[in-house]
Amino acid sequence: DGGITQSPKYLFRKEGQNVTLSCEQNLNHDAMYWYRQDPGQGLRLIYYSQIVNDFQKGDIAEGYSVSREKKESFPLTVTSAQKNPTAFYLCASSPHTSGGAFYNEQFFGPGTRLTVL
Amino acid sequence: AQKITQTQPGMFVQEKEAVTLDCTYDTSDPSYGLFWYKQPSSGEMIFLIYQGSYDQQNATEGRYSLNFQKARKSANLVISASQLGDSAMYFCAMREGSGNTPLVFGKGTRLSVIA
């Protein structure tokens, strides 16, 4: 089955520790995205990558880092610099488009709920 | 400036009735796409419906339809014949330009369907 997997589903971290959230997709999609969701805030973009070895900051990139060494994988590291990391993190991907098409659904993973103790 | 506005934090609807979830957007780009997603309590994001800025007709997908009023910059989601399983968070989102630019989301509306 094709899809996006995120692991772990629940993650607990002590203050001052870095932690890495996994996101893997077998859909052969070019673009991948990380969003953060807080209650009442909707989804906010952290980072995105449109191609391997390239990524761009989103609206709330401070305190986070990413890498895109393989097409299938886009891990997110929450560093100790992130002041309030407790949130629900969603990874998404979308296929390559051409010809200026802007219909391009984003497919989402099941999410990781991070709690800082 | 907020690009997507959902003014209804919560809505209630009786089972089998229709309900409209509001969404207004702000863009100066003539080319854009509007999306609606459903998020049940499990957290997964489920794509419901899409409307392109150049589409002449309102989009429909089963019980979902999109009331697209371009001049008013609104893209309201209409759910007909509500079911208990429709209880969830609903998010409106927009993509400006083309390709793989990220979606920008509104803050969502929590829909509760009452038996």
Side-chain angles (χ1 to χ4, degrees), chain A residues 25-116:
Chain A
Q25 54 100 359
N26 61 3
L27 301 167
N28 199 33
H29 285 173
D30 288 301
M32 297 186 74
Y33 316 83
W34 274 106
Y35 290 90
R36 169 179 171 146
Q37 186 178 19
D38 296 280
Q41 291 294 321
L43 277 68
R44 292 183 291 168
L45 182 68
I46 306 173
Y47 270 98
Y48 68 103
S49 167
Q50 295 182 317
I51 196 168
V52 174
N53 292 322
D54 187 47
F55 48 83
Q56 287 78 41
K57 292 182 179 180
D59 301 318
I60 56 166
E62 185 176 350
Y64 299 97
S65 65
V66 293
S67 63
R68 187 88 187 277
E69 297 175 1
K70 298 185 300 182
K71 189 175 185 178
E72 315 82 67
S73 179
F74 191 40
L76 173 74
T77 297
V78 184
T79 74
S80 56
Q82 171 49 236
K83 299 301 181 191
N84 185 20
T86 295
F88 187 54
Y89 291 86
L90 284 159
C91 178
S93 70
S94 60
H96 173 73
T97 61
S98 59
F102 41 84
Y103 168 69
N104 201 10
E105 178 188 342
Q106 280 183 198
F107 296 79
F108 283 85
T112 292
R113 194 167 298 278
L114 173 63
T115 302
V116 173

Coordinates of all heavy atoms in Angstrom, one line a residue, chain A residues 25-116:
Chain A
Q25 N 7.7 8.4 2.7 CA 6.6 8.2 1.7 C 7.0 7.3 0.6 O 8.2 7.3 0.2 CB 6.1 9.5 1.2 CG 7.1 10.4 0.6 CD 7.2 10.4 -0.9 OE1 6.5 9.6 -1.6 NE2 8.1 11.2 -1.5
N26 N 6.1 6.4 0.2 CA 6.5 5.5 -1.0 C 5.5 5.8 -2.2 O 5.2 4.9 -2.9 CB 6.4 4.0 -0.5 CG 5.0 3.7 0.0 OD1 4.1 4.5 -0.1 ND2 4.8 2.4 0.4
L27 N 5.1 7.1 -2.3 CA 4.3 7.5 -3.3 C 5.0 8.1 -4.5 O 4.4 8.5 -5.5 CB 3.3 8.6 -2.8 CG 2.4 8.1 -1.6 CD1 1.7 9.3 -0.9 CD2 1.4 7.1 -2.1
N28 N 6.3 8.1 -4.4 CA 7.2 8.7 -5.4 C 6.9 10.2 -5.6 O 7.0 10.7 -6.7 CB 7.1 7.9 -6.8 CG 8.3 8.2 -7.7 OD1 9.4 8.4 -7.2 ND2 8.0 8.2 -9.0
H29 N 6.5 10.8 -4.6 CA 6.2 12.3 -4.6 C 7.5 13.1 -4.5 O 8.4 12.8 -3.8 CB 5.3 12.7 -3.5 CG 3.9 12.2 -3.7 ND1 2.9 12.4 -2.8 CD2 3.3 11.6 -4.8 CE1 1.7 11.9 -3.3 NE2 2.0 11.4 -4.5
D30 N 7.5 14.2 -5.3 CA 8.7 15.1 -5.3 C 8.7 16.0 -4.0 O 9.7 16.2 -3.4 CB 8.7 15.9 -6.5 CG 9.1 15.1 -7.8 OD1 10.1 14.6 -7.8 OD2 8.2 15.1 -8.7
A31 N 7.6 16.5 -3.7 CA 7.5 17.5 -2.6 C 7.1 16.9 -1.3 O 6.2 16.1 -1.3 CB 6.6 18.7 -3.0
M32 N 7.7 17.4 -0.2 CA 7.3 17.0 1.1 C 7.2 18.2 2.0 O 7.9 19.2 1.8 CB 8.3 16.0 1.7 CG 8.3 14.7 0.8 SD 9.3 13.4 1.5 CE 8.2 12.8 2.9
Y33 N 6.4 18.2 3.0 CA 6.1 19.3 3.9 C 6.0 18.9 5.4 O 5.5 17.7 5.6 CB 4.7 19.9 3.5 CG 4.5 20.1 2.0 CD1 4.0 19.0 1.2 CD2 4.7 21.3 1.4 CE1 3.8 19.2 -0.1 CE2 4.5 21.5 0.0 CZ 4.0 20.4 -0.7 OH 3.8 20.5 -2.1
W34 N 6.3 19.8 6.2 CA 6.0 19.6 7.7 C 5.2 20.7 8.2 O 5.5 21.9 7.9 CB 7.3 19.6 8.5 CG 8.0 18.2 8.5 CD1 9.1 17.8 7.9 CD2 7.6 17.1 9.4 NE1 9.4 16.5 8.2 CE2 8.5 16.1 9.1 CE3 6.5 16.9 10.3 CZ2 8.4 14.9 9.8 CZ3 6.4 15.7 10.9 CH2 7.3 14.7 10.6
Y35 N 4.1 20.3 8.9 CA 3.2 21.3 9.5 C 3.1 21.0 11.0 O 3.2 19.9 11.4 CB 1.8 21.2 8.9 CG 1.6 21.6 7.5 CD1 1.8 20.7 6.5 CD2 1.3 22.9 7.2 CE1 1.6 21.1 5.1 CE2 1.1 23.4 5.9 CZ 1.3 22.5 4.9 OH 1.1 22.9 3.6
R36 N 2.9 22.1 11.7 CA 2.6 22.0 13.2 C 1.2 22.4 13.4 O 0.7 23.4 12.8 CB 3.6 22.9 13.9 CG 3.2 23.1 15.4 CD 4.2 24.0 16.1 NE 3.7 24.3 17.4 CZ 4.5 24.5 18.5 NH1 5.8 24.4 18.4 NH2 4.0 24.7 19.7
Q37 N 0.5 21.7 14.3 CA -0.9 22.0 14.6 C -1.0 22.2 16.1 O -0.7 21.2 16.9 CB -1.8 20.9 14.1 CG -3.3 21.3 14.3 CD -4.3 20.2 13.8 OE1 -3.9 19.1 13.6 NE2 -5.5 20.6 13.6
D38 N -1.5 23.3 16.5 CA -1.8 23.6 17.9 C -3.3 23.8 18.0 O -3.9 24.2 17.0 CB -1.1 24.9 18.4 CG 0.4 24.7 18.4 OD1 0.9 24.1 19.4 OD2 1.1 25.2 17.5
P39 N -3.9 23.6 19.2 CA -5.3 23.8 19.3 C -5.8 25.2 18.9 O -5.2 26.2 19.4 CB -5.6 23.5 20.8 CG -4.5 22.6 21.2 CD -3.3 23.1 20.4
G40 N -6.8 25.3 18.0 CA -7.3 26.6 17.6 C -6.4 27.3 16.6 O -6.7 28.5 16.3
Q41 N -5.3 26.7 16.2 CA -4.4 27.5 15.3 C -4.3 26.9 13.9 O -3.7 27.5 13.0 CB -3.0 27.4 15.9 CG -2.8 28.1 17.2 CD -2.9 29.6 16.9 OE1 -2.5 30.2 15.9 NE2 -3.6 30.3 17.9
G42 N -5.0 25.9 13.6 CA -4.9 25.3 12.3 C -3.5 24.7 12.1 O -2.8 24.4 13.0
L43 N -3.2 24.6 10.8 CA -1.9 24.0 10.4 C -0.9 25.1 10.0 O -1.3 25.9 9.2 CB -2.0 23.0 9.3 CG -2.4 21.6 9.6 CD1 -3.8 21.5 10.1 CD2 -2.2 20.7 8.4
R44 N 0.3 25.1 10.6 CA 1.3 26.1 10.2 C 2.5 25.4 9.6 O 2.9 24.4 10.2 CB 1.6 27.0 11.4 CG 0.5 27.9 11.9 CD 0.9 28.7 13.1 NE 1.2 28.0 14.3 CZ 1.8 28.4 15.4 NH1 2.2 29.7 15.4 NH2 2.0 27.7 16.4
L45 N 3.0 26.0 8.6 CA 4.1 25.4 7.8 C 5.4 25.6 8.5 O 5.8 26.7 8.8 CB 4.1 26.0 6.4 CG 5.2 25.4 5.5 CD1 4.8 24.0 5.1 CD2 5.3 26.3 4.2
I46 N 6.2 24.5 8.7 CA 7.5 24.6 9.3 C 8.6 24.6 8.2 O 9.4 25.6 8.2 CB 7.7 23.4 10.3 CG1 6.6 23.3 11.3 CG2 9.1 23.6 10.9 CD1 6.7 22.0 12.1
Y47 N 8.6 23.6 7.4 CA 9.6 23.5 6.3 C 8.9 22.8 5.2 O 8.0 22.0 5.4 CB 10.8 22.7 6.7 CG 12.0 23.5 7.3 CD1 12.1 23.6 8.7 CD2 12.9 24.1 6.5 CE1 13.2 24.3 9.2 CE2 14.0 24.9 7.0 CZ 14.1 24.9 8.4 OH 15.2 25.6 8.9
Y48 N 9.5 23.0 4.0 CA 9.0 22.1 2.9 C 10.2 21.9 1.9 O 11.2 22.7 1.9 CB 7.8 22.7 2.1 CG 8.0 24.0 1.4 CD1 8.2 24.0 0.0 CD2 8.0 25.2 2.0 CE1 8.3 25.2 -0.7 CE2 8.2 26.4 1.4 CZ 8.3 26.4 0.0 OH 8.5 27.6 -0.7
S49 N 10.1 20.9 1.1 CA 11.1 20.5 0.2 C 10.5 20.1 -1.1 O 9.6 19.3 -1.2 CB 11.9 19.3 0.7 OG 12.8 18.8 -0.3
Q50 N 10.9 20.7 -2.2 CA 10.3 20.4 -3.5 C 11.2 19.4 -4.3 O 10.7 18.9 -5.3 CB 10.1 21.7 -4.3 CG 9.0 22.6 -3.7 CD 8.8 23.9 -4.5 OE1 9.7 24.5 -5.0 NE2 7.5 24.2 -4.6
I51 N 12.4 19.2 -3.8 CA 13.3 18.3 -4.5 C 14.3 17.8 -3.6 O 14.6 18.5 -2.6 CB 13.9 19.0 -5.8 CG1 14.5 18.0 -6.7 CG2 14.9 20.1 -5.3 CD1 14.9 18.7 -8.1
V52 N 14.9 16.7 -3.9 CA 16.0 16.2 -3.0 C 17.1 17.2 -2.8 O 17.5 17.9 -3.8 CB 16.5 14.8 -3.6 CG1 17.7 14.3 -2.8 CG2 15.4 13.8 -3.6
N53 N 17.7 17.3 -1.6 CA 18.8 18.1 -1.3 C 18.5 19.6 -1.3 O 19.4 20.4 -1.4 CB 20.0 17.8 -2.2 CG 20.6 16.5 -1.9 OD1 20.7 16.0 -0.7 ND2 21.1 15.8 -2.9
D54 N 17.2 19.9 -1.3 CA 16.8 21.3 -1.2 C 15.5 21.5 -0.4 O 14.6 20.6 -0.4 CB 16.5 21.8 -2.7 CG 16.2 23.3 -2.7 OD1 17.0 24.1 -2.0 OD2 15.2 23.8 -3.3
F55 N 15.5 22.5 0.5 CA 14.3 22.8 1.3 C 14.2 24.2 1.6 O 15.2 25.0 1.5 CB 14.3 21.9 2.6 CG 15.6 21.9 3.3 CD1 15.9 22.9 4.2 CD2 16.6 20.9 3.2 CE1 17.1 23.0 4.9 CE2 17.8 20.9 3.9 CZ 18.0 21.9 4.7
Q56 N 13.0 24.7 2.0 CA 12.8 26.1 2.3 C 12.1 26.2 3.6 O 11.3 25.3 4.0 CB 11.9 26.7 1.2 CG 12.5 27.0 -0.1 CD 12.6 25.7 -0.9 OE1 11.7 24.9 -1.0 NE2 13.8 25.5 -1.6
K57 N 12.4 27.3 4.3 CA 11.7 27.6 5.6 C 10.3 28.0 5.3 O 9.9 28.7 4.4 CB 12.4 28.7 6.3 CG 13.8 28.3 6.8 CD 14.4 29.5 7.5 CE 15.8 29.2 8.1 NZ 16.4 30.3 8.8
G58 N 9.4 27.6 6.3 CA 8.1 28.0 6.3 C 7.9 29.2 7.3 O 8.9 29.9 7.6
D59 N 6.7 29.3 7.8 CA 6.4 30.5 8.6 C 6.9 30.4 10.0 O 7.1 31.4 10.7 CB 4.8 30.6 8.7 CG 4.2 30.8 7.4 OD1 4.8 31.6 6.6 OD2 3.1 30.2 7.1
I60 N 7.2 29.1 10.5 CA 7.6 28.9 11.9 C 8.8 28.0 12.0 O 8.8 27.1 12.8 CB 6.4 28.4 12.8 CG1 5.9 27.1 12.2 CG2 5.3 29.4 12.9 CD1 4.9 26.4 13.1
A61 N 9.8 28.3 11.2 CA 11.0 27.4 11.1 C 11.9 27.5 12.3 O 12.8 26.6 12.5 CB 11.8 27.7 9.8
E62 N 11.9 28.5 13.1 CA 12.8 28.7 14.2 C 12.7 27.6 15.2 O 11.7 27.2 15.7 CB 12.6 30.0 14.9 CG 13.6 30.4 15.9 CD 13.4 31.7 16.5 OE1 12.6 32.5 16.0 OE2 14.1 32.0 17.6
G63 N 13.9 27.0 15.5 CA 14.0 25.9 16.4 C 13.8 24.5 15.8 O 13.8 23.5 16.5
Y64 N 13.7 24.5 14.5 CA 13.5 23.2 13.8 C 14.6 23.1 12.7 O 15.1 24.1 12.2 CB 12.1 23.1 13.1 CG 10.9 23.2 14.0 CD1 10.3 24.4 14.2 CD2 10.5 22.1 14.6 CE1 9.2 24.5 15.0 CE2 9.4 22.1 15.5 CZ 8.7 23.4 15.6 OH 7.6 23.4 16.5
S65 N 14.9 21.9 12.3 CA 15.8 21.6 11.2 C 15.3 20.4 10.4 O 14.6 19.5 11.0 CB 17.2 21.5 11.6 OG 17.4 20.3 12.4
V66 N 15.6 20.4 9.1 CA 15.2 19.2 8.3 C 16.4 18.8 7.4 O 17.4 19.5 7.3 CB 14.0 19.6 7.4 CG1 12.7 19.8 8.2 CG2 14.3 20.8 6.5
S67 N 16.2 17.7 6.8 CA 17.1 17.2 5.7 C 16.3 16.5 4.7 O 15.2 16.0 5.0 CB 18.2 16.3 6.3 OG 17.6 15.1 6.8
R68 N 16.8 16.5 3.4 CA 16.1 15.7 2.4 C 17.2 15.1 1.5 O 17.5 15.5 0.4 CB 15.3 16.7 1.5 CG 14.4 15.9 0.5 CD 13.1 15.5 1.0 NE 12.4 14.7 0.1 CZ 11.6 15.1 -0.9 NH1 11.5 16.4 -1.1 NH2 10.9 14.3 -1.6
E69 N 17.8 14.0 2.1 CA 18.8 13.3 1.4 C 18.3 12.2 0.4 O 19.0 11.8 -0.5 CB 19.8 12.6 2.4 CG 20.5 13.7 3.3 CD 21.3 13.0 4.4 OE1 21.3 11.7 4.4 OE2 21.9 13.7 5.2
K70 N 17.1 11.8 0.7 CA 16.4 10.8 -0.2 C 15.0 11.3 -0.5 O 14.4 12.0 0.3 CB 16.3 9.5 0.5 CG 17.6 8.8 0.9 CD 17.4 7.4 1.4 CE 16.6 7.5 2.7 NZ 16.4 6.1 3.3
K71 N 14.5 10.9 -1.7 CA 13.2 11.4 -2.1 C 12.1 10.9 -1.2 O 11.1 11.6 -0.9 CB 12.9 10.8 -3.5 CG 11.7 11.4 -4.2 CD 11.6 10.8 -5.6 CE 10.4 11.5 -6.4 NZ 10.4 11.0 -7.8
E72 N 12.3 9.7 -0.6 CA 11.3 9.1 0.3 C 11.2 9.7 1.7 O 10.3 9.4 2.4 CB 11.5 7.6 0.4 CG 11.8 6.9 -0.9 CD 13.3 7.0 -1.3 OE1 14.1 6.4 -0.6 OE2 13.6 7.7 -2.3
S73 N 12.3 10.4 2.1 CA 12.4 10.7 3.5 C 12.6 12.2 3.8 O 13.4 12.8 3.1 CB 13.6 9.9 4.1 OG 13.8 10.1 5.4
F74 N 11.9 12.7 4.8 CA 12.0 14.1 5.1 C 11.9 14.2 6.7 O 10.9 14.7 7.2 CB 10.9 14.9 4.4 CG 11.0 16.4 4.5 CD1 12.3 17.0 4.3 CD2 9.9 17.2 4.6 CE1 12.4 18.4 4.3 CE2 10.0 18.6 4.6 CZ 11.2 19.2 4.5
P75 N 13.0 13.9 7.4 CA 12.9 13.9 8.8 C 13.0 15.4 9.4 O 13.6 16.2 8.8 CB 14.1 13.1 9.3 CG 15.1 13.2 8.1 CD 14.2 13.3 6.9
L76 N 12.3 15.6 10.5 CA 12.2 16.9 11.2 C 12.8 16.7 12.5 O 12.5 15.9 13.3 CB 10.8 17.3 11.3 CG 10.5 18.6 12.1 CD1 10.9 19.8 11.3 CD2 9.0 18.7 12.5
T77 N 13.8 17.6 12.8 CA 14.4 17.6 14.1 C 13.9 18.8 14.9 O 14.0 20.0 14.4 CB 16.0 17.7 14.1 OG1 16.4 16.5 13.4 CG2 16.6 17.8 15.4
V78 N 13.4 18.6 16.1 CA 12.9 19.6 17.0 C 14.1 19.9 17.9 O 14.5 19.0 18.7 CB 11.7 19.2 17.7 CG1 11.2 20.4 18.6 CG2 10.6 18.8 16.7
T79 N 14.7 21.0 17.9 CA 15.9 21.3 18.7 C 15.5 21.9 20.0 O 14.3 22.4 20.2 CB 16.9 22.2 17.9 OG1 16.3 23.6 17.9 CG2 17.1 21.8 16.5
S80 N 16.5 22.0 20.9 CA 16.2 22.6 22.2 C 15.9 24.1 22.1 O 15.5 24.7 23.0 CB 17.4 22.4 23.1 OG 18.6 22.9 22.5
A81 N 16.2 24.7 20.9 CA 15.9 26.1 20.7 C 14.4 26.4 20.5 O 14.0 27.6 20.6 CB 16.7 26.6 19.5
Q82 N 13.7 25.3 20.2 CA 12.2 25.5 20.0 C 11.6 25.7 21.4 O 11.6 24.8 22.2 CB 11.6 24.3 19.3 CG 10.1 24.3 19.2 CD 9.4 25.5 18.8 OE1 8.6 26.1 19.5 NE2 9.8 26.0 17.6
K83 N 11.0 26.9 21.7 CA 10.6 27.2 23.0 C 9.4 26.4 23.5 O 9.2 26.2 24.7 CB 10.3 28.7 23.1 CG 11.5 29.6 22.8 CD 12.6 29.4 23.7 CE 13.8 30.3 23.4 NZ 15.0 29.9 24.1
N84 N 8.5 26.1 22.6 CA 7.2 25.5 23.0 C 6.9 24.4 22.0 O 6.0 24.5 21.1 CB 6.1 26.5 23.0 CG 4.8 25.9 23.6 OD1 4.8 24.8 24.2 ND2 3.7 26.5 23.3
P85 N 7.6 23.2 22.0 CA 7.5 22.2 21.0 C 6.3 21.3 21.1 O 6.0 20.5 20.2 CB 8.8 21.4 21.1 CG 9.2 21.6 22.6 CD 8.7 23.0 23.0
T86 N 5.6 21.3 22.3 CA 4.5 20.4 22.4 C 3.4 20.8 21.4 O 2.9 21.9 21.4 CB 3.9 20.6 23.9 OG1 4.9 20.1 24.8 CG2 2.6 19.8 24.0
A87 N 3.1 19.8 20.5 CA 2.2 20.0 19.4 C 2.0 18.7 18.7 O 2.6 17.7 19.0 CB 2.7 21.1 18.5
F88 N 1.1 18.8 17.7 CA 0.8 17.7 16.8 C 1.5 18.0 15.5 O 1.3 19.1 14.9 CB -0.7 17.5 16.6 CG -1.1 16.3 15.8 CD1 -0.7 15.1 16.2 CD2 -2.0 16.5 14.7 CE1 -1.1 14.0 15.4 CE2 -2.4 15.4 14.0 CZ -2.0 14.1 14.3
Y89 N 2.4 17.1 15.0 CA 3.1 17.4 13.8 C 2.7 16.5 12.7 O 2.6 15.3 12.8 CB 4.6 17.1 14.1 CG 5.2 18.2 15.0 CD1 5.1 18.0 16.4 CD2 5.8 19.3 14.5 CE1 5.7 18.9 17.3 CE2 6.4 20.3 15.4 CZ 6.3 20.0 16.8 OH 6.8 21.0 17.6
L90 N 2.4 17.1 11.5 CA 1.9 16.4 10.4 C 2.9 16.6 9.2 O 3.3 17.7 8.9 CB 0.5 17.0 10.0 CG -0.7 16.6 10.8 CD1 -1.8 17.5 10.7 CD2 -1.1 15.2 10.4
C91 N 3.1 15.5 8.6 CA 4.0 15.5 7.4 C 3.1 15.2 6.2 O 2.1 14.5 6.3 CB 5.0 14.3 7.5 SG 6.1 14.1 6.1
A92 N 3.4 15.9 5.1 CA 2.6 15.7 3.8 C 3.5 15.6 2.6 O 4.7 16.0 2.7 CB 1.6 16.9 3.7
S93 N 2.9 15.1 1.5 CA 3.7 15.1 0.3 C 2.7 15.4 -0.9 O 1.5 15.2 -0.7 CB 4.4 13.7 0.1 OG 3.4 12.7 -0.2
S94 N 3.3 15.8 -2.0 CA 2.5 16.0 -3.2 C 3.4 15.6 -4.4 O 4.6 15.8 -4.4 CB 2.0 17.4 -3.3 OG 3.0 18.3 -3.3
P95 N 2.7 15.2 -5.5 CA 3.5 14.8 -6.7 C 4.0 16.0 -7.5 O 3.5 17.1 -7.3 CB 2.5 13.9 -7.5 CG 1.2 14.4 -7.0 CD 1.3 14.9 -5.6
H96 N 4.8 15.7 -8.4 CA 5.3 16.7 -9.3 C 4.2 17.1 -10.3 O 3.4 16.3 -10.7 CB 6.5 16.2 -10.2 CG 6.9 17.1 -11.3 ND1 7.6 18.2 -11.0 CD2 6.7 17.1 -12.6 CE1 7.9 18.9 -12.1 NE2 7.3 18.2 -13.1
T97 N 4.1 18.4 -10.5 CA 3.1 18.9 -11.5 C 3.9 19.7 -12.6 O 5.0 20.2 -12.4 CB 2.1 19.9 -10.9 OG1 2.8 21.0 -10.3 CG2 1.4 19.2 -9.8
S98 N 3.2 19.8 -13.7 CA 3.8 20.5 -14.8 C 2.7 21.4 -15.5 O 1.5 21.2 -15.2 CB 4.4 19.6 -15.8 OG 3.5 18.7 -16.3
G99 N 3.1 22.3 -16.3 CA 2.2 23.0 -17.1 C 1.4 24.0 -16.3 O 0.3 24.5 -16.7
G100 N 1.9 24.4 -15.1 CA 1.3 25.4 -14.3 C 0.0 24.9 -13.6 O -0.7 25.7 -13.1
A101 N -0.1 23.6 -13.5 CA -1.3 23.1 -12.8 C -1.2 23.5 -11.3 O -0.2 23.2 -10.7 CB -1.4 21.6 -13.0
F102 N -2.2 24.0 -10.7 CA -2.2 24.2 -9.2 C -3.2 23.3 -8.5 O -3.3 23.4 -7.3 CB -2.4 25.7 -8.9 CG -3.5 26.3 -9.7 CD1 -4.8 26.2 -9.4 CD2 -3.1 27.1 -10.8 CE1 -5.8 26.9 -10.1 CE2 -4.1 27.7 -11.6 CZ -5.4 27.6 -11.2
Y103 N -3.9 22.4 -9.2 CA -4.5 21.3 -8.5 C -3.5 20.3 -8.2 O -2.9 19.7 -9.1 CB -5.6 20.7 -9.3 CG -6.1 19.4 -8.6 CD1 -6.8 19.5 -7.4 CD2 -5.8 18.2 -9.1 CE1 -7.1 18.4 -6.8 CE2 -6.1 17.0 -8.5 CZ -6.8 17.1 -7.3 OH -7.2 16.0 -6.6
N104 N -3.2 20.2 -6.9 CA -2.2 19.2 -6.5 C -2.4 18.9 -5.1 O -1.9 19.6 -4.2 CB -0.8 19.8 -6.8 CG 0.3 18.7 -6.9 OD1 -0.1 17.5 -6.9 ND2 1.5 19.1 -6.8
E105 N -3.1 17.9 -4.9 CA -3.5 17.5 -3.5 C -2.3 17.2 -2.7 O -1.4 16.6 -3.1 CB -4.5 16.3 -3.5 CG -4.9 15.8 -2.2 CD -5.7 14.5 -2.4 OE1 -6.1 14.1 -3.5 OE2 -5.8 13.7 -1.4
Q106 N -2.3 17.6 -1.4 CA -1.3 17.2 -0.5 C -1.9 16.0 0.3 O -3.0 16.1 0.8 CB -1.0 18.3 0.5 CG 0.0 19.4 -0.1 CD 0.4 20.4 0.9 OE1 0.9 21.5 0.5 NE2 0.2 20.2 2.2
F107 N -1.1 15.0 0.3 CA -1.4 13.7 1.1 C -0.7 13.8 2.4 O 0.5 14.1 2.5 CB -1.0 12.5 0.3 CG -1.6 12.3 -1.0 CD1 -1.2 13.1 -2.1 CD2 -2.7 11.4 -1.2 CE1 -1.9 12.9 -3.4 CE2 -3.3 11.3 -2.4 CZ -2.9 12.0 -3.5
F108 N -1.4 13.5 3.5 CA -0.9 13.6 4.8 C -0.6 12.3 5.5 O -1.3 11.3 5.2 CB -1.9 14.4 5.7 CG -1.9 15.9 5.4 CD1 -2.7 16.4 4.4 CD2 -1.1 16.7 6.2 CE1 -2.6 17.7 4.2 CE2 -1.1 18.1 6.0 CZ -1.9 18.6 4.9
G109 N 0.4 12.3 6.3 CA 0.6 11.1 7.2 C -0.3 11.2 8.4 O -1.1 12.1 8.6
P110 N -0.2 10.2 9.3 CA -1.1 10.1 10.5 C -0.7 11.1 11.6 O -1.5 11.2 12.5 CB -1.0 8.7 10.9 CG 0.4 8.2 10.4 CD 0.6 9.0 9.2
G111 N 0.5 11.6 11.5 CA 0.9 12.6 12.5 C 1.7 12.0 13.7 O 1.6 10.8 14.0
T112 N 2.4 12.9 14.4 CA 3.2 12.5 15.6 C 2.8 13.6 16.6 O 2.9 14.8 16.4 CB 4.7 12.6 15.4 OG1 5.1 11.5 14.5 CG2 5.4 12.4 16.7
R113 N 2.4 13.1 17.8 CA 2.1 14.0 18.9 C 3.2 14.1 19.8 O 3.6 13.1 20.5 CB 0.8 13.5 19.6 CG 0.2 14.6 20.5 CD -1.2 14.2 21.0 NE -2.1 14.1 19.9 CZ -2.8 15.1 19.3 NH1 -2.6 16.3 19.7 NH2 -3.7 14.9 18.4
L114 N 3.9 15.3 19.9 CA 5.1 15.5 20.7 C 4.7 16.2 22.0 O 4.0 17.2 21.9 CB 6.1 16.3 19.9 CG 7.3 16.8 20.7 CD1 8.2 15.6 21.2 CD2 8.2 17.7 19.9
T115 N 5.1 15.7 23.1 CA 4.9 16.3 24.4 C 6.2 16.5 25.1 O 7.0 15.6 25.2 CB 4.0 15.4 25.3 OG1 2.8 15.2 24.6 CG2 3.7 16.1 26.6
V116 N 6.5 17.7 25.5 CA 7.7 18.0 26.3 C 7.3 18.0 27.8 O 6.4 18.6 28.3 CB 8.2 19.4 25.9 CG1 9.4 19.8 26.8 CG2 8.7 19.4 24.5

